[in-house]
């Protein structure tokens, strides 16, 4: 399937002007800019929030004055906090230009406690998925690498955890991450740097609506994060109606991109399927979904997500009986299925509900 009409994601998103963020610079960048003293030590002080004082890096007056002359030292500001009854917290973060994005802080009660952050990659989104509140905003601009990383540092400083090894990141907030791939991957490289947060690449998941050109580029990059795919339909007619990206890269083309990705040892795909009442929740849909997954159906994760309703969409969540029935249909066809209960629903912080901008 090919659509020759230009699509919003074919054009680069607008960028923020001004000095580069101090948090977008590697030690070698700091050295090249003339960092007084040790560039590596300065990088460590910037990127390790457990060493900060009063919510800011302990840099020393000389380094701070120098940095303020060559870079932007402002982190996203935590402007709003909305705690959910399930223990998660939705946060609005204000950027240096006044625009706002949203992130979600999700502690998990497991044997070795970890915290998952759902973070954003853009202000708004160009993809136009009809069931997603962020898609109703359109695209305002890309986040710079330092702003992407800045979300993580600001949340760690204010809410924890204390160390990078206790953290899991999912790029499932505002924006299509692969529409901002260059900035996204620089931020990932910075977060994986051993002198900074030291995150393992398998602690980072990037979710896409199916931007095949970005999937193919990301597949060749290192460090390569885990990939999540928001699928949400089992026919091209249905998917094109709710997800415009399918008009350019249809289901067959998307499946070939996954084959070309070639999961390495320790990697699993995550398939996200938002269940929408009367739209994609029949037994025929379950059969087509299992067929499309093919040899991926048992070794990878399929998350069923009952739609999180919001004012920007007329679609509705299916009843619990239908959710469970759909899961059983898939299990009977050999799929590894989890029904995902989105956290933060009561504060509009669940999947598909994040919307801010200004």
């Amino acid at each position: 399937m090919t659509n020759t009409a230009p699509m919003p994601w074919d054009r680069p998103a607008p960028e923020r002007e001004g000095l580069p963020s101090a948090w977008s610079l590697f030690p070698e960048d700091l050295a090249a800019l003339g960092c007084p003293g040790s560039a590596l030590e300065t990088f460590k002080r910037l990127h390790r929030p457990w060493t900060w004082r009063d919510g800011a890096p302990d840099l020393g007056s000389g380094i701070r004055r120098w940095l303020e002359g060559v870079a932007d030292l402002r982190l996203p500001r935590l402007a709003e906090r909305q705690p959910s009854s399930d223990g998660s917290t939705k946060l609005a973060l204000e950027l240096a230009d006044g625009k706002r994005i949203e992130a979600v802080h999700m502690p998990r009660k497991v044997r070795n406690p970890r915290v998952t952050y759902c973070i954003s990659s853009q202000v708004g989104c160009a993809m136009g998925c009809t069931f997603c509140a962020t898609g109703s905003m359109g695209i305002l601009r890309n986040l710079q690498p330092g702003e992407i990383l800045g979300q993580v540092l600001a949340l760690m400083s204010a809410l924890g955890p204390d160390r990078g090894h206790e953290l899991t990141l999912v790029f499932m907030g505002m924006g299509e991450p692969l529409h901002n791939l260059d900035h996204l991957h620089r931020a990932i490289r910075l977060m994986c740097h051993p002198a900074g947060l030291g995150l393992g690449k398998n602690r980072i998941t990037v979710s896409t609506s199916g931007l095949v050109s970005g999937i193919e580029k990301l597949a060749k990059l290192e460090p390569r994060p885990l990939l999540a795919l928001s699928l949400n339909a089992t026919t091209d007619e249905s998917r094109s109606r709710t997800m415009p990206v399918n008009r350019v890269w249809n289901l067959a083309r998307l499946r070939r991109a996954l084959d070309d990705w070639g999961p390495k040892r320790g990697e699993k795909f995550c398939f996200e399927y938002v269940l929408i009442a009367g739209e994609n929740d029949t037994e025929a849909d379950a059969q087509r979904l299992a067929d499309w997954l093919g040899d991926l159906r048992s070794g990878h994760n399929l998350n069923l997500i009952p739609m999180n309703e919001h004012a920007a969409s007329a679609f509705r969540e299916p009843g619990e009986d239908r959710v469970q029935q759909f899961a059983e249909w898939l299990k009977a066809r050999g799929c590894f299925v989890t029904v995902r209960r989105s956290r933060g629903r009561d504060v509009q912080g669940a999947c598909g509900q994040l919307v801010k901008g200004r």
Side-chain angles (χ1 to χ4, degrees):
M1 177 182 295
T2 301
N3 187 335
T4 57
M7 304 301 280
W9 58 82
D10 290 329
R11 298 184 294 272
E15 301 280 0
R16 181 179 71 84
E17 298 180 353
L19 291 172
S21 167
W23 284 273
S24 69
L25 303 174
F26 286 94
E28 55 268 30
D29 300 319
L30 293 167
L33 288 169
C35 179
S38 169
L40 182 61
E41 182 62 27
T42 299
F43 182 87
K44 289 180 180 179
R45 290 177 180 243
L46 285 168
H47 288 258
R48 294 179 170 182
W50 54 90
T51 68
W52 294 3
R53 293 184 182 179
D54 301 322
D58 183 19
L59 293 170
S61 58
I63 295 289
R64 181 172 292 278
R65 281 195 302 271
W66 171 78
L67 263 177
E68 288 173 344
V70 299
D72 188 342
L73 262 177
R74 292 173 291 182
L75 281 171
R77 181 180 69 85
L78 298 185
E80 296 177 23
R81 301 189 193 192
Q82 293 180 268
S84 168
S85 59
D86 62 22
S88 62
T89 303
K90 183 176 79 166
L91 302 116
L93 296 102
E94 186 171 284
L95 306 171
D97 62 357
K99 289 186 168 53
R100 290 191 175 190
I101 53 175
E102 293 188 330
V104 186
H105 177 277
M106 297 175 285
R108 293 192 295 156
K109 294 180 180 179
V110 293
R111 181 176 297 177
N112 297 309
R114 294 184 182 274
V115 176
T116 298
Y117 293 171
C118 175
I119 59 175
S120 297
S121 55
Q122 295 177 306
V123 186
C125 185
M127 306 311 291
C129 299
T130 56
F131 50 84
C132 177
T134 312
S136 68
M137 296 172 59
I139 184 65
L140 300 184
R141 72 169 175 85
N142 281 332
L143 293 184
Q144 295 291 314
E147 293 175 318
I148 295 172
L149 173 56
Q151 294 172 81
V152 177
L153 298 177
L155 265 62
M156 286 185 73
S157 177
L159 299 173
D162 293 332
R163 294 290 192 276
H165 68 268
E166 299 172 338
L167 184 63
T168 299
L169 299 182
V170 292
F171 282 91
M172 297 180 183
M174 296 169 63
E176 164 56 65
L178 301 188
H179 187 211
N180 189 20
L181 181 55
D182 289 345
H183 293 340
L184 170 80
H185 196 259
R186 185 178 181 91
I188 289 172
R189 288 169 53 215
L190 286 159
M191 289 187 282
C192 292
H193 197 291
L197 293 177
L199 291 183
K201 62 183 180 181
N202 285 356
R203 307 300 306 177
I204 303 172
T205 298
V206 172
S207 179
T208 179
S209 60
L211 199 58
V212 166
S213 57
I215 293 172
E216 292 174 338
K217 291 176 184 176
L218 183 60
K220 300 172 184 176
L221 299 178
E222 282 294 338
R224 187 170 85 167
L226 301 179
L227 185 70
L229 174 64
S230 188
L231 193 60
N232 311 325
T234 62
T235 68
D236 285 322
E237 179 183 6
S238 176
R239 196 166 193 268
S240 294
R241 185 167 59 248
T242 57
M243 302 181 72
V245 68
N246 196 77
R247 301 168 196 168
V248 179
W249 292 290
N250 66 9
L251 285 164
R253 181 67 182 84
L254 186 55
R255 187 62 176 77
R256 290 202 304 273
L258 299 184
D259 288 335
D260 292 341
W261 177 282
K264 301 174 184 177
R265 185 175 181 180
E267 287 187 343
K268 289 185 178 182
F269 292 128
C270 177
F271 297 100
E272 299 158 324
Y273 192 90
V274 176
L275 274 174
I276 304 171
E279 182 69 26
N280 64 358
D281 61 349
T282 67
E283 186 171 8
D285 283 305
Q287 181 64 61
R288 285 190 294 265
L289 179 53
D291 290 343
W292 185 87
L293 289 169
D295 61 352
L296 301 176
R297 70 178 73 181
S298 61
H300 301 265
N301 300 324
L302 174 58
N303 282 339
L304 297 183
I305 308 170
M307 184 193 171
N308 298 300
E309 298 178 7
H310 55 86
S313 176
F315 289 128
R316 290 293 173 257
E317 173 186 358
E320 182 62 23
D321 288 348
R322 174 61 87 177
V323 173
Q324 294 302 325
Q325 178 65 78
F326 198 83
E328 290 304 317
W329 285 331
L330 288 166
K331 290 175 183 177
R333 290 161 172 83
C335 297
F336 181 75
V337 180
T338 301
V339 177
R340 194 168 91 199
R341 306 299 177 181
S342 298
R343 299 182 65 180
R345 287 182 60 148
D346 56 340
V347 293
Q348 294 288 293
C351 292
Q353 293 182 322
L354 299 185
V355 56
K356 212 64 182 178
R358 299 184 185 278

